[in-house]
Amino acid sequence: MSDSVKCIAHSRNNVRHHTEEITVDHLLVRRGQAFNLTLYFRNRGFQPGLDNIIFVVETGPLPDLALGTRAVFSLARHHSPSPWIAWLETNGATSTEVSLCAPPTAAVGRYLLKIHIDSFQGSVTAYQLGEFILLFNPWCPEDAVYLDSEPQRQEYVMNDYGFIYQGSKNWIRPCPWNYGQFEEKIIDICLKLLDKSLHFQTDPATDCALRGSPIYVSRVVCAMINSNDDNGVLNGNWSENYTDGANPAEWTGSVAILKQWYATGCQPVRYGQCWVFAAVMCTVMRCLGIPTRVITNFDSGHDTDGNLIIDEYYDNTGRILGNKKKDTIWNFHVWNECWMARKDLPPGYGGWQVLDATPQEMSNGIYCCGPASVRAIKDGEVDLNYDTPFVFSMVNADCMSWLVQGGKEQKLHQDTSSVGNFISTKSIQGDERDDITENYKYEEGSLQERQVFLKALQKLKAGRFHSSRRGAELQPSRPTPLSRDSSRSLHTPSLRPSDVVQVSLKFKLLDPPNMGQDICFVLLALNMSSQFKDLKVNLSAQSLLHNGSPLSPFWQDIAFITLSPKEAKTYPCKISYSQYSQYLSTDKLIRISALGEEKSSPEKILVNKIITLSYPSITINVLGAAVVNQPLSIQVIFSNPLSEQVEDCVLTVEGSGLFKKQQKVLLGVLKPQQRASIILETVPFKSGQRQIQANMRSNKFKDIKGYRNVYVDFAL
């Protein structure tokens, strides 16, 4: 037929397949959707009925027909056993346009395309046409990741920036993040990440064959984001010592992390914590075509023994202690939800699935978590795959408080509503916060919530999980707390049963807690009985890491309060900046606690509150209209919020479609309360809605942040 064939893949393929943001120079298509190729022949054209074109597609190092990583299919009209199909669109004298379509279950990855031309003269000629990349397709109803809402597809697949919520449930702070899933080389890095997994290293043929399953791919990616089992992307570090790497609070985007991992021969990047793991995973999953969002759970439980009880221990000053079980309540914890069908589960448990790349516990021998059906978590179906019991405990475990004194443990109270609050994610096509707590559990205090909790507990007892030595504390009826933790129940006083002395304690801030200023608050004491009460209250303050780990106390006080019947009194407290500044963690969390006792009663009253110190944000101004390929000036205004000089100040600025790479500006020294600004010049190279993210660090603070949304117009 000919001695040469040239293949042209039209750039409109990438537009139709929603991959033009990645590139228009190479063929990137989605499974279950046709794409077009034009074949050019040197001597004579294709003659249907006389000639036949046989297509061969292969992926992975060991392509195999039986495994589905190799497919052979023809333009001929007779039925082909291959799930890949091809058909003729137009035919000319020297060129032929054909359409090819991968099945909606095909493995994702990099493919090699070949053709064999069988002419009526009996000759067979083979040509290698080139490579293309195949991705998941949330626009295809037959794909397991199909999402039937275009606004949701735009948000959870196409949006390359967002917010990750941090702080505490009483002070929720949006942290801007550049996902950058369509930036240069990110798709190549994502495919390299799959090839670096333990699964691929052990059995590459099977691994590639299983890449058609979003369940399988999500578990592989989840394990590869952390580096606990392999040369994954990120090393986790919660030690507060980051001298040989980056403080996790300094990152503002995934692109710099993924490119550093790739450029260093896939050596783990130092360092990440939960929101960094989740953000990088969001980048990879959106790039591969799986709808993904980032979720923050405030007061997140970490139950290490599977009994749905988080044990917290206090000394007689109210100071929280570490414990051998390592149960903790994280001030906030961040994970991902990915959208996919779950044909491996009973009907109704598809949709959003939890995946948690933070290395906390092992799952089938590796550090990953999920996918766990959000619906299964709400229903207490903790026997469904994967890792549903652990995720259930993060949002709905009970909390038991113990007083440790003289080597003995005294139960203070059991709180059934303290874990799992204000579960948050960015709203669809907006900058607001969506509260999705109701997706994970029924309303706290409702009969349904307790029924689901007990159902989950019974399933764990009946299965391979067993209750801990505290299991006897769990009763079918809702326990009456001896006191309530005000830090997890906003401004709710501690409670006691009516037959016990009725005294309430709670904390109240007098001013917003700003970094660099004194913290002023009062302890409110209320006598709800008709008798005089003499109280001794031990007060303390200590810094916390966001994962709940306590640091050493830096402030203590003792209050003696006498209350007349039905009387309320306030005890004023102040923690000066000089007292807390040198003890503050990067997370800027301070836990104030009070442990009260009455002279005539052995009972204790525990109350505590978590304070998150705030910084002034960076201000970003866009000077003029933003137009593709036209110079743009950006003003960044920042300040030193402290009453002392800070050194080693560095400003980083980035934004997909606006900056080719992260901008880093060395600022040096900033005087006390100094306010300054700089002008950055850039040339936007992508149109549409974009976001600028900025962070300033120094020797005293690491994460003063700011952002600005920018709409970039097409060049005229």
Side-chain angles (χ1 to χ4, degrees):
M1 177 179 174
S2 68
D3 56 11
S4 179
V5 176
K6 182 180 180 181
C7 175
I8 299 295
H10 303 288
S11 60
R12 66 174 182 265
N13 283 314
N14 290 18
V15 175
R16 292 170 179 170
H17 286 250
H18 309 278
T19 62
E20 75 277 12
E21 282 279 311
I22 302 175
T23 183
V24 292
D25 298 326
H26 306 287
L27 185 61
L28 274 81
V29 294
R30 300 185 186 275
R31 61 190 197 173
Q33 182 176 343
F35 59 95
N36 301 102
L37 301 174
T38 301
L39 305 177
Y40 293 91
F41 305 103
R42 176 174 295 181
N43 295 329
R44 69 170 179 84
F46 171 70
Q47 297 182 16
L50 297 177
D51 303 319
N52 189 21
I53 301 177
I54 300 170
F55 295 90
V56 180
V57 291
E58 298 175 339
T59 186
L62 300 168
D64 188 293
L65 278 172
L67 292 175
T69 50
R70 185 173 192 265
V72 180
F73 52 104
S74 173
L75 263 184
R77 295 179 181 273
H78 60 78
H79 176 72
S80 170
S82 173
W84 288 71
I85 56 175
W87 62 92
L88 183 66
E89 293 285 357
T90 60
N91 190 39
T94 59
S95 67
T96 298
E97 185 175 341
V98 297
S99 289
L100 278 64
C101 187
T105 57
V108 300
R110 195 181 306 275
Y111 278 79
L112 181 63
L113 175 62
K114 308 174 185 177
I115 62 169
H116 294 186
I117 299 177
D118 186 359
S119 72
F120 71 94
Q121 299 169 336
S123 62
V124 178
T125 311
Y127 300 94
Q128 182 171 304
L129 299 184
E131 291 184 343
F132 66 95
I133 292 174
L134 188 69
L135 303 175
F136 290 102
N137 192 354
W139 284 266
C140 174
E142 289 76 35
D143 197 305
V145 302
Y146 173 64
L147 191 56
D148 64 359
S149 164
E150 181 60 22
Q152 290 189 43
R153 290 191 291 254
Q154 289 300 316
E155 180 65 46
Y156 301 134
V157 180
M158 301 302 294
N159 199 355
D160 59 6
Y161 67 87
F163 299 100
I164 303 169
Y165 295 96
Q166 300 179 354
S168 68
K169 74 171 188 181
N170 298 331
W171 189 75
I172 298 175
R173 175 174 72 111
C175 173
W177 195 271
N178 177 27
Y179 296 120
Q181 67 267 30
F182 304 131
E183 289 297 283
E184 186 179 11
K185 293 187 178 179
I186 294 299
I187 182 62
D188 298 318
I189 296 171
C190 293
L191 296 179
K192 172 64 75 172
L193 183 147
L194 295 179
D195 288 348
K196 283 292 182 178
S197 75
L198 291 178
H199 303 274
F200 182 86
Q201 301 298 321
T202 303
D203 187 352
T206 302
D207 173 77
C208 288
L210 291 173
R211 290 182 186 177
S213 164
I215 300 171
Y216 178 80
V217 169
S218 66
R219 281 183 65 80
V220 169
V221 172
C222 189
M224 278 300 298
I225 297 300
N226 67 71
S227 62
N228 287 44
D229 310 293
D230 41 46
N231 282 337
V233 176
L234 280 160
N235 273 340
N237 186 341
W238 289 264
S239 71
E240 290 289 289
N241 180 8
Y242 310 111
T243 54
D244 58 345
N247 186 313
E250 297 175 23
W251 298 112
T252 53
S254 306
V255 177
I257 295 170
L258 288 166
K259 287 188 174 182
Q260 181 178 328
W261 177 77
Y262 189 69
T264 57
C266 304
Q267 293 301 305
V269 177
R270 300 171 179 170
Y271 289 103
Q273 291 183 7
C274 65
W275 68 92
V276 187
F277 290 113
V280 174
M281 182 161 182
C282 182
T283 297
V284 174
M285 299 301 273
R286 287 186 183 181
C287 185
L288 295 176
I290 299 177
T292 303
R293 59 188 186 182
V294 177
I295 309 298
T296 300
N297 178 36
F298 292 95
D299 299 331
S300 187
H302 184 182
D303 176 24
T304 58
D305 55 10
N307 70 338
L308 302 186
I309 288 285
I310 308 296
D311 290 305
E312 290 191 327
Y313 298 89
Y314 296 82
D315 67 11
N316 59 3
T317 69
R319 175 174 67 110
I320 190 171
L321 306 171
N323 63 82
K324 293 180 180 179
K325 282 179 55 181
K326 296 186 179 179
D327 280 2
T328 53
I329 295 180
W330 295 39
N331 210 49
F332 68 89
H333 182 51
V334 183
W335 59 71
N336 298 103
E337 284 180 4
C338 298
W339 182 272
M340 65 188 73
R342 291 298 302 270
K343 293 183 179 179
D344 59 318
L345 302 182
Y349 293 108
W352 289 117
Q353 311 289 315
V354 171
L355 285 132
D356 189 351
T358 302
Q360 298 181 83
E361 304 291 332
M362 282 190 165
S363 173
N364 293 339
I366 59 174
Y367 279 97
C368 72
C369 178
S373 165
V374 172
R375 181 71 201 186
I377 295 161
K378 183 171 184 176
D379 290 347
E381 300 293 349
V382 294
D383 52 344
L384 299 182
N385 284 338
Y386 293 85
D387 309 302
T388 310
F390 186 74
V391 181
F392 183 91
S393 72
M394 289 197 292
V395 301
N396 212 13
D398 285 357
C399 181
M400 190 86 73
S401 296
W402 302 85
L403 175 64
V404 179
Q405 195 169 16
K408 296 182 179 180
E409 298 173 4
Q410 175 188 348
K411 177 184 172 182
L412 292 173
H413 71 271
Q414 181 171 334
D415 193 336
T416 62
S417 61
S418 61
V419 171
N421 290 292
F422 297 101
I423 303 175
S424 303
T425 193
K426 178 186 175 295
S427 64
I428 298 171
Q429 295 182 319
D431 289 351
E432 296 77 27
R433 180 184 68 89
D434 274 355
D435 190 305
I436 58 170
T437 308
E438 66 177 5
N439 293 358
Y440 281 85
K441 58 182 181 179
Y442 295 97
E443 185 179 357
E444 289 289 357
S446 69
L447 178 61
Q448 281 180 305
E449 186 274 331
R450 277 294 94 182
Q451 289 174 335
V452 168
F453 178 87
L454 294 170
K455 171 186 175 181
L457 184 63
Q458 292 303 318
K459 283 179 174 283
L460 293 180
K461 285 182 176 179
R464 62 187 179 87
F465 291 88
H466 301 283
S467 60
S468 73
R469 61 189 178 89
R470 306 260 183 239
E473 298 291 344
L474 294 164
Q475 302 297 330
S477 60
R478 190 181 186 91
T480 303
L482 297 180
S483 64
R484 187 173 298 275
D485 182 343
S486 71
S487 73
R488 301 193 203 102
S489 181
L490 183 59
H491 301 308
T492 301
S494 55
L495 302 176
R496 289 176 176 271
S498 59
D499 59 341
V500 182
V501 178
Q502 294 188 5
V503 176
S504 167
L505 298 176
K506 69 175 181 179
F507 287 114
K508 181 180 180 181
L509 285 169
L510 298 180
D511 299 299
N514 295 319
M515 173 60 72
Q517 299 178 9
D518 297 343
I519 303 171
C520 297
F521 59 97
V522 294
L523 177 68
L524 303 175
L526 173 63
N527 180 6
M528 295 178 287
S529 76
S530 57
Q531 300 174 346
F532 283 89
K533 303 299 173 189
D534 288 321
L535 298 179
K536 176 187 176 183
V537 184
N538 289 296
L539 298 105
S540 66
Q542 61 193 128
S543 289
L544 289 180
L545 305 183
H546 90 274
N547 67 357
S549 300
L551 303 180
S552 299
F554 56 80
W555 175 86
Q556 290 182 324
D557 194 7
I558 300 178
F560 294 94
I561 304 173
T562 300
L563 295 170
S564 300
K566 307 298 182 180
E567 183 183 17
K569 283 186 178 179
T570 61
Y571 181 81
C573 304
K574 184 176 78 170
I575 305 174
S576 67
Y577 173 66
S578 61
Q579 286 178 297
Y580 71 75
S581 61
Q582 58 184 320
Y583 298 100
L584 201 61
S585 70
T586 302
D587 301 296
K588 305 179 293 297
L589 301 173
I590 295 176
R591 184 179 196 141
I592 52 175
S593 301
L595 185 65
E597 57 183 321
E598 193 207 339
K599 289 182 179 179
S600 60
S601 172
E603 300 297 332
K604 311 288 185 183
I605 309 169
L606 174 67
V607 63
N608 52 56
K609 186 179 187 65
I610 294 176
I611 298 171
T612 306
L613 296 168
S614 62
Y615 287 122
S617 60
I618 294 173
T619 300
I620 302 173
N621 297 318
V622 178
L623 308 179
V627 181
V628 171
N629 296 327
Q630 298 295 320
L632 180 66
S633 298
I634 296 168
Q635 181 188 40
V636 183
I637 304 172
F638 48 90
S639 61
N640 173 13
L642 305 182
S643 56
E644 59 181 318
Q645 179 174 288
V646 296
E647 301 173 355
D648 304 323
C649 297
V650 178
L651 177 73
T652 55
V653 180
E654 63 180 293
S656 289
L658 298 168
F659 299 94
K660 288 288 187 180
K661 64 179 181 178
Q662 187 184 71
Q663 306 295 299
K664 186 173 291 189
V665 182
L666 304 180
L667 303 173
V669 175
L670 286 178
K671 296 177 181 179
Q673 307 292 326
Q674 181 182 349
R675 188 171 184 267
S677 71
I678 62 168
I679 302 293
L680 296 176
E681 303 290 342
T682 189
V683 178
F685 53 94
K686 288 184 179 181
S687 63
Q689 191 67 41
R690 303 291 163 188
Q691 188 184 81
I692 304 168
Q693 302 90 12
N695 182 77
M696 186 173 72
R697 64 173 170 87
S698 73
N699 63 328
K700 295 290 185 179
F701 48 77
K702 302 299 178 186
D703 62 337
I704 295 182
K705 297 189 183 295
Y707 74 94
R708 179 66 181 264
N709 293 339
V710 183
Y711 189 84
V712 181
D713 287 315
F714 285 106
L716 298 178

